[in-house]
Amino acid sequence: MTRNAFGIPISDSLCPDCNAELRMVEISPNVTVAQILHDDTCPALAAAEGGSK
């Protein structure tokens, strides 16, 4: 099981439609954001962006 920056378990399946990856990125000291990177062919990503694939 994957854990977030606080050690709390999160689902290993970030997206039910693709093999999305999770990256924790420090954008400034003591400020970290989570980036979910979807596959280019992901229908969930296409829907979120207003298109379809």
Side-chain angles (χ1 to χ4, degrees):
M1 170 129 333
T2 303
R3 295 183 179 271
N4 68 13
F6 304 103
I8 299 169
I10 58 175
S11 173
D12 287 332
S13 177
L14 298 169
C15 177
D17 295 318
C18 74
N19 294 319
E21 296 178 19
L22 173 67
R23 291 187 188 162
M24 300 303 291
V25 179
E26 185 175 23
I27 58 173
S28 65
N30 297 317
V31 178
T32 303
V33 296
Q35 289 182 333
I36 299 176
L37 305 168
H38 295 266
D39 295 339
D40 290 338
T41 59
C42 178
L45 175 61
E49 292 180 338
S52 61
K53 291 194 178 192

